Amino acid sequence: MAERIVVSLHVRLAGPALPGYLRRALGAKKRAEALGATLTAWGADTFAFDFAPEEMEEAIDLAVATFDDLTLGLEPRFSAGVAYGPLTRLGTSGSFAMLGWGEALLVATHLARAAHPGEVLVDEACPHHVRHALRTIEERSLRDPAC
């Protein structure tokens, strides 16, 4: 079991948003992999990626990408949850090799589902440097919408 930063993305699917979901989800997956993330879970309306503890900036970049939805008018709009903690890989090869399970995944997923579209919720148990970095970005984006 390794300590990981987990970013979970969730979308509320309704009517006309449905066709755009898969395209947006695959785009988020491509972005996450480019940032060095590993796909941890994938469901009908929620998926998650994990990062090593030292990849905090990359995890934050993925989480705050939900704000792009607001400025670009993209639909459907994702919400995000971020948590930190132990994560166990389910397998060593085959289709389960990259999937994980653990409290960090559960917490990040619950937070993403509780967040409003375009919002990021961070587990209060996250290390201070993760919470602080996300709060700084949020405050900056509220002052300057171009952030």
Side-chain angles (χ1 to χ4, degrees):
M1 213 180 267
E3 298 289 308
R4 307 291 287 175
I5 300 171
V6 177
V7 177
S8 180
L9 301 175
H10 173 73
V11 67
R12 287 171 180 81
L13 295 176
L18 185 58
Y21 168 71
L22 185 57
R23 180 180 47 78
R24 297 281 321 285
L26 292 173
K29 178 183 175 292
K30 185 175 181 178
R31 180 180 188 148
E33 289 173 343
L35 291 168
T38 301
L39 177 70
T40 299
W42 187 285
D45 61 359
T46 306
F47 48 99
F49 304 93
D50 69 273
F51 295 85
E54 63 273 8
E55 296 176 317
M56 176 194 65
E57 290 182 24
E58 291 83 355
I60 291 168
D61 186 41
L62 180 63
V64 299
T66 63
F67 294 132
D68 292 344
D69 298 346
L70 299 172
T71 58
L72 300 176
L74 299 174
E75 293 292 337
R77 292 170 45 198
F78 290 110
S79 56
V82 180
Y84 178 85
L87 194 67
T88 302
R89 293 281 171 233
L90 297 180
T92 56
S93 64
S95 60
F96 281 102
M98 64 185 159
L99 299 179
W101 185 254
E103 185 177 349
L105 174 60
L106 293 172
V107 171
T109 301
H110 286 296
L111 289 171
R113 288 180 176 165
H116 295 289
E119 182 179 41
V120 178
L121 296 181
V122 182
D123 180 21
E124 62 185 28
C126 275
H128 175 74
H129 66 282
V130 175
R131 290 190 325 267
H132 176 72
L134 281 164
R135 191 173 303 113
T136 301
I137 288 170
E138 179 184 16
E139 290 168 358
R140 205 173 51 215
S141 66
L142 289 174
R143 285 193 303 269
D144 181 7
C147 281

